[in-house]
Amino acid sequence: MNNLKLLPWLLTFAEVAQRKSFTQAAKQLGLSKSAVSQQIKRLEQHLGQQLLSRHTRGMSLTSTGEKLLGRCELLQAQVDLALEEVNSSKEAPSGTFALTIPHSCERDIVIPALNQLCLEFPKIEPKILVTDEAKDLIKDKLDVAIYGGKLKDSNYRALPLGSMREVFCAAPGYISQKGLLESPGDMAAHRWISPPWQGSNITFYPNHDLNNGISMTFEAFAHTNTLPSALEMALQNMGIALLPEVTLQSHIREGRLIRVLPAYQGAQWDFHLVHRFLGEKPVHITRFYQLVRHFFDKAHLAVN
């Protein structure tokens, strides 16, 4: 005999029996008084026994009702315990937290965010893949990805972080050897360092007008497959690079790099945190997004 349908009635009975009031039980359960009364009536009809005695002074439990209440209180406690365990696992996640991030967000954005996340959820075990190549969350067994650029259509969820612009830079030693640039056309006489996401066609956008850029084609002096190596080449006087401003801020502030053609900038990329969770996100994913957005904004303010 399938008794699962009785569970709501039994829990309603326990509420009425404990409070000795249909009105108070209905308020606690978020039901109408008539709905509570109907559930108790159906339970009594199913059992073939009376559970409550109603009289002018209120109500009392029959001997059968007393026995059933003891069982229902245990049932109620089990339900409460199960929900507490679910909520506890939600509040205190554990296990591997796998993510992929671009080099531009590594030092000043993601690592500080992960540090704080691990302080709040010490059972989390971060597993980071740092790459400028797009990865598939399911295929590569990742929980989240931080992605810069135009999003591809997918079933994943994307949360906005903000935008990040690229600026032209070079080491002071290189500029002292090759001379300052006065216009985008002067770039043709200089060495160009090309990271993996840039082709030979470069667009110079005036800082005050990002809708009207000047596009030019250059043969790169050096190619590299990572942002850190492009940055290191620039620091080693090897040429001019167009890199995310966030990654350059400390080098520019301390004089190791200078902005070239400061009236112009490169592309401005929108960044998103992409996750694969449908419906409500795990609490640590929500918190990680909050932290990443905080440090993204902080890094953005530091360059302005």
Side-chain angles (χ1 to χ4, degrees):
M1 182 178 181
N2 187 356
N3 291 321
L4 288 177
K5 68 176 183 179
L6 301 181
L7 291 178
W9 300 349
L10 291 169
L11 293 173
T12 298
F13 164 72
E15 199 68 41
V16 172
Q18 288 168 341
R19 297 180 182 276
K20 291 186 170 53
S21 168
F22 281 90
T23 301
Q24 292 183 23
K27 184 177 180 180
Q28 178 66 23
L29 294 168
L31 300 172
S32 67
K33 183 179 177 180
S34 62
V36 171
S37 180
Q38 281 295 318
Q39 287 193 31
I40 299 300
K41 183 179 179 180
R42 289 171 185 165
L43 179 61
E44 289 178 327
Q45 288 174 344
H46 180 84
L47 297 174
Q49 298 188 63
Q50 185 178 350
L51 301 174
L52 298 169
S53 295
R54 302 162 183 81
H55 43 73
T56 56
R57 295 188 303 276
M59 70 173 66
S60 60
L61 294 172
T62 65
S63 59
T64 301
E66 289 280 4
K67 293 178 182 178
L68 185 61
L69 176 59
R71 295 294 186 182
C72 288
E73 286 176 333
L74 293 175
L75 175 62
Q76 196 173 42
Q78 287 296 317
V79 172
D80 291 341
L81 179 60
L83 293 176
E84 285 177 10
E85 289 179 350
V86 170
N87 288 330
S88 175
S89 66
K90 180 189 292 186
E91 293 169 1
S94 61
T96 300
F97 174 40
L99 61 157
T100 180
I101 62 173
H103 288 94
S104 59
C105 296
E106 181 181 9
R107 189 186 70 173
D108 297 310
I109 298 172
V110 173
I111 298 303
L114 270 179
N115 179 46
Q116 181 60 33
L117 187 74
C118 291
L119 290 174
E120 296 179 16
F121 302 112
K123 294 183 180 180
I124 281 179
E125 302 168 8
K127 183 179 180 181
I128 312 169
L129 173 63
V130 184
T131 177
D132 296 317
E133 298 179 6
K135 296 293 181 180
D136 182 82
L137 296 181
I138 293 178
K139 179 181 177 182
D140 296 301
K141 299 180 181 179
L142 299 163
D143 295 309
V144 302
I146 293 179
Y147 185 79
K150 187 177 181 181
L151 290 170
K152 298 179 180 179
D153 293 334
S154 71
N155 294 323
Y156 303 139
R157 303 294 183 266
L159 304 173
L161 292 172
S163 61
M164 189 183 298
R165 69 175 183 173
E166 296 179 328
V167 297
F168 300 92
C169 67
Y174 173 83
I175 295 300
S176 67
Q177 296 172 18
K178 301 293 185 178
L180 287 170
L181 290 77
E182 296 182 359
S183 70
D186 294 339
M187 193 72 76
H190 285 263
R191 291 180 172 180
W192 180 255
I193 299 169
S194 178
W197 64 88
Q198 290 168 4
S200 58
N201 188 270
I202 304 299
T203 302
F204 298 77
Y205 295 95
N207 294 332
H208 63 278
D209 185 3
L210 301 183
N211 294 319
N212 295 299
I214 303 169
S215 294
M216 296 184 178
T217 300
F218 303 101
E219 288 297 327
F221 164 73
H223 296 270
T224 176
N225 68 333
T226 70
L227 185 153
S229 58
L231 174 59
E232 190 60 31
M233 286 181 181
L235 288 167
Q236 295 291 333
N237 303 318
M238 292 181 65
I240 296 172
L242 176 60
L243 301 175
E245 190 174 21
V246 166
T247 65
L248 306 176
Q249 56 180 314
S250 62
H251 299 290
I252 292 175
R253 185 170 58 248
E254 295 169 14
R256 293 188 291 271
L257 290 174
I258 59 175
R259 278 196 64 181
V260 175
L261 296 173
Y264 294 87
Q265 67 179 70
Q268 187 155 300
W269 304 97
D270 290 328
F271 278 73
H272 292 81
L273 184 146
V274 180
H275 67 87
R276 59 184 175 86
F277 299 95
L278 301 176
E280 185 177 358
K281 301 183 295 299
V283 64
H284 65 291
I285 302 297
T286 298
R287 182 56 177 153
F288 182 63
Y289 171 64
Q290 294 171 345
L291 291 167
V292 169
R293 185 154 190 174
H294 167 75
F295 285 105
F296 194 99
D297 291 342
K298 185 177 180 180
H300 190 269
L301 289 172
V303 300
N304 294 321

